Amino acid sequence: MTEVSGLLVDLDGVVRLWPRGSARAAALACGLPRNAVREIAYDDAFDLAHHGILTHEQWVDQVRARLRERHGPAGERAAGLWAADRGEPDPAMVRLLLRARAAGLTVGVLTNNTTAVRADLARHGLEDLFDQVANSADLGVTKPAPAAYRAALEMMDLPPARVAFTDDNPLNTTAAAYVGLHAHPYTTPDAFETFLRTLGIVLPTTTPTSGRARPGCPAGVPPAPGHAESDAHAPVRVRYLETSRTPQAVARALTGPGTVAVPLEEGAVATVTDSGRVTTWRLLAAGTDPAVAAGDLSAWTPTPAAGVTAAGGVTAEHLPPWLPDTRTAGGASAARLLDRTGWDLAQLAARTRGGDVLAAAHHLDRVRHHLTALATLLARHQPRPWPGTTATRYLPTAARTALAASWTADPTTPTGLTHNLTALLQLLRHLRHTAHLVLDTAGTWPWDRTATALTPILAARPDLSPRPAGDPLYTPALAAVYDRHRPVDPEMAAALAAFAAQRLTGREVVELGAGTGRITRHLAPPTARYDAVEPSPAMAVHLTAADIPGVEVTEADALCLPWAGRSRDIVVEHETLQFTADPLRAADEALRVLRPGGALVRLLLHPAGPDPHAVLDTAYRQGAFTGGPLPLFHGKGTDLRGTAHLTALGLDTTTTVLTEFVRHRTPHAVLAALADRAWPYQHQFTDAQHERGMTAAHHTVAGPGDEPVPVPYVLRALTTTVREEP
């Protein structure tokens, strides 16, 4: 027999008795027919009260009004006497349940009742008797419906085979047995205890003075530094808690002197102290390591992508391109997250109008959680970076900045709520834009209605239309020094010019990711038309200022080119696809704008052997990583994946070596580039991290010598030609 570890009991007729027969006694005391109160009080309105459609007070008011209408003042007096009788607990059954709790059993009550149940339990001194109170007015469903039993079992966190049930209504015990509980038609406490013995439950003979002490609640694990939910300086804390208990049970354990706990949806509890300290407790499934969920740097070690050298565990990560199956799954997940975000924003607005600041703060936290999950999905191409959470320290800079800003004020104050909400709405616009580009999804939520609902909070109608975020890698600071540390070697310039003369003369060309124009100026001269695409406004400023003859600068994303299909002859890129949100979709977009017989050309520059200067970059990264999370890196490697993708589409790719040459660089030139933050990944570091990295890199340089070191390079062109139409 399965071990029984829980008791579920009815309330009225089992734990609470009505010895005075309140309805009949009230009617007789006021000179009314004996059933005068009963026939009005327990008609259809009683069913509405049991389902929570009417509150207890509304139901009683209706009964009083109808009795007054039918019987005058005597009817109103009878209603008052009837409503004042709240029954009496059965001491013998209370003792049995106290003994059951002392034995370690989970004890719950399942009652068809009104919203007055908790107040009645407190009036009778029974508020601590039950681990869970499943009341039909809260559940919206009554016994004997199976859903009522299943809801109570879910609250107790027990399967039906491990729960014994008793009720004084035989119909309810029959339904309980159908659900799978060990059901007993209630008559007396002794008969119920005898039934429990047949299930192997032997209760202690002594009765404790109160229910067992509430189980203590662990302190929880805080998010690690650098985690998207890091709260070191935030007014709202987050703690991760591994538990098998329900939010209701955890809320009871967390409630104490000076602290009120509120169970929330989706496995969370909020606490607020008398001093105003708000904490969100995220409940993790039993067996989940809270340190992993909280982003502990020692608990999760990502694996570098193939072809990326690791130093000190992890140095760089390549963002894997989307594949058709992951894109389809990702689109569905993104749509759900966007719709949930819209729903919680609507709830936030409603709770704010109603003055419930804690509920509004909770919905704000849910919005933050949904957007963190969506940013993770779009940046990491997976729904969760580690078990038990959707938050990640590997978020793009724009997302991390917005999330950090959304923690900086107390959300239970009007100004704090407005401040935090504004930051999240900016992130929402960016993520809607990216979800549309990468996943071709936008959800179905009516954002115009949400904007209207939020207007009173923000004192102006918010703009929720999708918009691109500023490029987190190619910042103005990087654009200013970009060309300084990336000279085009004479051999490379000559090879690019020869390639342009041979393949681009008289053709209409699009260059993806033109940057500052360092490659553009060598490719554009012989073309009939040259459109230089650059998504970063900071880089586009330098590209426009270069004023390269014949070049039209367009600020656009490679995933959404602003030209009609079959309108260009050549699409060329120099190590750009790897920095897009979706390299394979970018390749598909390039194919879309190509005419039959046109070509996608990918220019790749690689060291032809080991780079002696790589040790300086490695030292810089390791120094900058010390004591903090790894930043997000983009690395090389899309060439092979891109070629495989194009092959799957039935398109052949040819590789041509354009030139091989030797580049000479001194250690101090490498240090100067690091000092200028000339590489995109450096702009994800704080100034303090950058200084640590520079110190480590300087210590790596052996001696005062600054001799140039030769490094062989090879420049290749990977050309994929679109078939001519038959």
Side-chain angles (χ1 to χ4, degrees), residues 227 291-296 300 382 384-394:
H227 190 283
V292 175
D296 188 334
W300 182 67
Q382 56 188 15
R384 295 185 303 174
W386 50 70
T389 185
T390 54
T392 172
R393 61 184 182 274
Y394 283 87

Side-chain angles (χ1 to χ4, degrees), residues 24-83:
R24 184 173 302 171
L28 295 176
C30 296
L32 303 179
R34 60 187 298 152
N35 288 327
V37 174
R38 175 175 293 278
E39 67 183 12
I40 288 178
Y42 301 112
D43 63 1
D44 292 342
F46 184 48
D47 187 57
L48 295 178
H50 270 183
H51 283 84
I53 298 172
L54 296 179
T55 66
H56 180 82
E57 292 75 18
Q58 290 171 332
W59 170 54
V60 170
D61 287 344
Q62 284 193 16
V63 172
R64 180 180 290 108
R66 292 176 61 190
L67 283 170
R68 183 174 59 245
E69 179 182 356
R70 181 175 298 184
H71 300 287
E76 185 168 5
R77 289 196 303 273
L81 291 173
W82 160 75

Side-chain angles (χ1 to χ4, degrees), residues 583-608:
L584 301 189
R585 185 177 284 279
D588 292 342
E589 181 69 355
L591 296 177
R592 181 187 67 81
V593 302
L594 286 172
R595 298 184 176 107
L600 168 61
V601 180
R602 293 171 286 154
L603 300 175
L604 299 172
L605 179 67
H606 289 280

Side-chain angles (χ1 to χ4, degrees), residues 207-549:
T207 304
T209 58
S210 63
R212 65 167 178 260
R214 289 173 178 156
C217 193
V221 178
H227 190 283
E229 293 188 323
S230 179
D231 57 6
H233 305 290
V236 179
R237 300 189 308 168
V238 173
R239 292 295 180 267
Y240 296 88
L241 189 62
E242 183 272 332
T243 180
S244 60
R245 286 180 283 176
T246 63
Q248 291 82 358
V250 173
R252 283 207 322 277
L254 289 169
T255 298
T259 301
V260 175
V262 181
L264 308 175
E265 304 96 324
E266 294 189 2
V269 172
T271 59
V272 58
T273 66
D274 290 344
S275 63
R277 182 59 153 167
V278 180
T279 302
T280 296
W281 301 78
R282 302 212 187 283
L283 309 185
L284 309 178
T288 302
D289 183 359
V292 175
D296 188 334
L297 301 186
S298 64
W300 182 67
T301 303
T303 303
V308 178
T309 303
V314 176
T315 60
E317 269 191 25
H318 169 66
L319 291 180
W322 286 92
L323 300 174
D325 55 343
T326 58
R327 186 182 290 127
T328 299
S333 296
R336 285 194 299 271
L337 289 168
L338 284 169
D339 290 343
R340 290 175 183 174
T341 299
W343 188 88
D344 276 297
L345 285 172
Q347 294 300 308
L348 181 153
R351 298 300 183 268
T352 302
R353 287 195 303 271
D356 191 341
V357 294
L358 185 58
H362 162 56
H363 286 289
L364 178 77
D365 179 71
R366 283 166 56 94
V367 169
R368 182 185 297 109
H369 204 51
H370 297 328
L371 293 182
T372 303
L374 181 57
T376 301
L377 178 68
L378 293 168
R380 297 286 302 139
H381 303 177
Q382 56 188 15
R384 295 185 303 174
W386 50 70
T389 185
T390 54
T392 172
R393 61 184 182 274
Y394 283 87
L395 293 175
T397 303
R400 285 166 52 184
T401 300
L403 289 170
S406 75
W407 283 101
T408 53
D410 183 353
T412 60
T413 66
T415 55
L417 179 65
T418 299
H419 175 88
N420 294 347
L421 180 60
T422 299
L424 290 177
L425 293 183
Q426 292 174 351
L427 178 59
L428 170 63
R429 291 193 292 270
H430 299 161
L431 294 179
R432 287 185 65 200
H433 174 80
T434 305
H436 174 68
L437 285 183
V438 176
L439 301 173
D440 194 25
T441 186
T444 59
W445 188 259
W447 296 105
D448 284 345
R449 293 176 59 184
T450 301
T452 300
L454 294 174
T455 298
I457 300 175
L458 302 172
R461 184 178 175 84
D463 178 9
L464 300 184
S465 58
R467 66 179 59 174
D471 194 302
L473 295 177
Y474 290 90
T475 63
L478 174 63
V481 300
Y482 194 81
D483 286 351
R484 184 186 308 167
H485 300 286
R486 292 172 175 81
V488 177
D489 302 82
E491 297 90 343
M492 182 175 176
L496 291 172
F499 168 79
Q502 179 183 3
R503 295 300 308 272
L504 307 184
T505 298
R507 312 298 293 274
E508 294 185 353
V509 177
V510 171
E511 182 189 355
L512 305 180
T516 59
R518 55 188 289 270
I519 302 298
T520 310
R521 67 183 73 254
H522 302 288
L523 298 179
T527 61
R529 172 173 179 162
Y530 198 99
D531 292 293
V533 175
E534 175 51 49
S536 168
M539 301 294 280
V541 166
H542 292 268
L543 178 59
T544 302
D547 196 21
I548 304 172

Side-chain angles (χ1 to χ4, degrees), residues 112 128 166 235 320 369 448 455 460 481 550 555 609 625 654 688 720 724:
N112 290 351
D128 290 334
T166 190
H369 204 51
D448 284 345
T455 298
V481 300
E555 288 189 33
F625 293 162
T654 60
T720 304
E724 296 277 4

Side-chain angles (χ1 to χ4, degrees), residues 636-655:
K636 297 185 178 183
T638 53
D639 48 346
L640 296 177
R641 299 185 186 194
T643 299
H645 175 68
L646 294 168
T647 300
L649 296 176
L651 300 175
D652 296 330
T653 299
T654 60
T655 301

